[in-house]
Amino acid sequence: MKGPDKAVTLDELKALVGKELGVSEWTLVDQKRIDAFADLTEDHQFIHVDPAAAKATPLGSTIAHGFLTLSLVANFGYQVVPGVKGAKMGMNYGMNKLRFVSPVKSGSRVRGRFKLKSLDDQGGGRWLSTTEVTVEVEGQEKPSIVMEWLGMTFV
C-alpha cells in the first residue's frame, strides 16, 4: 500500500517520469459490487442489474458501470503510486483522454497499470503529475479504461 514506507523524494519521483510505476492487485467486479454501485448512484439500467435481460443482449451478461470501474482506479493507485516525502497533501486534479474501451462483465477481475508521463512544477509548492492509467481485464486483450490521471501534490 501507498504510505510513508512507499514515499519517495520529489527528485526520485522526477526520475520516474517515463517509467511504469507498477501494477495493482486484481479486484473482483461481481454482481454484488455492481448492484451496490447501482444503489449508490441510482443508476439501475438493466444491463447492470438484471442478469436475465442482460443475457439476451450481445454482451451476454450484466456489465459494470463505467464509472464503477473508473472509481476503482483510486484504490489501484494507492497500491502502486508512491507518495512524496514531506508533502503536505495530494489531490485528484482530474482526467485527460478518458476512454471506456470495453465493458467489464460481472464476475471479471480488473487491475490498474500506471506509468508516470510527466511531473510539472506549477509554482507555489504545487507539482502536477500526469499518469497514464490502463485498467486491464483478466483474460481480455482489450483494456476496460485508458486515461491520463492528473494529480496535484503540495510540498
Side-chain angles (χ1 to χ4, degrees):
M1 282 301 213
K2 181 178 166 183
D5 58 325
K6 196 160 182 191
V8 298
T9 67
L10 200 51
D11 286 337
E12 289 170 327
L13 189 60
K14 289 177 194 175
L16 294 174
V17 170
K19 296 185 169 81
E20 184 172 282
L21 299 175
V23 180
S24 73
E25 297 294 320
W26 290 108
T27 295
L28 177 65
V29 181
D30 59 7
Q31 193 61 49
K32 180 179 176 184
R33 185 182 296 253
I34 294 168
D35 290 343
F37 190 83
D39 289 342
L40 179 69
T41 60
E42 300 182 12
D43 180 354
H44 294 94
Q45 184 182 18
F46 83 93
I47 196 63
H48 304 304
V49 298
D50 186 339
K55 188 173 184 174
T57 71
L59 295 173
S61 73
T62 55
I63 60 170
H65 305 72
F67 288 132
L68 165 55
T69 307
L70 177 62
S71 73
L72 296 173
V73 170
N75 182 49
F76 298 157
Y78 283 126
Q79 293 178 39
V80 297
V81 178
V84 176
K85 287 181 183 176
K88 295 174 184 141
M89 62 183 261
M91 292 177 59
N92 179 0
Y93 201 67
M95 283 83 176
N96 289 334
K97 303 177 185 175
L98 170 62
R99 297 293 180 267
F100 297 102
V101 180
S102 65
V104 174
K105 292 184 177 185
S106 178
S108 297
R109 294 192 327 159
V110 296
R111 68 181 181 185
R113 183 175 299 274
F114 296 79
K115 178 181 177 182
L116 184 60
K117 289 188 70 175
S118 64
L119 183 64
D120 300 305
D121 187 350
Q122 302 295 295
R126 298 174 302 129
W127 288 84
L128 179 66
S129 61
T130 302
T131 305
E132 180 180 288
V133 181
T134 304
V135 177
E136 302 172 340
V137 182
E138 188 175 40
Q140 192 172 294
E141 190 173 323
K142 274 182 143 179
S144 174
I145 292 174
V146 293
M147 67 181 210
E148 291 179 350
W149 190 8
L150 306 177
M152 188 69 73
T153 300
F154 297 82
V155 294

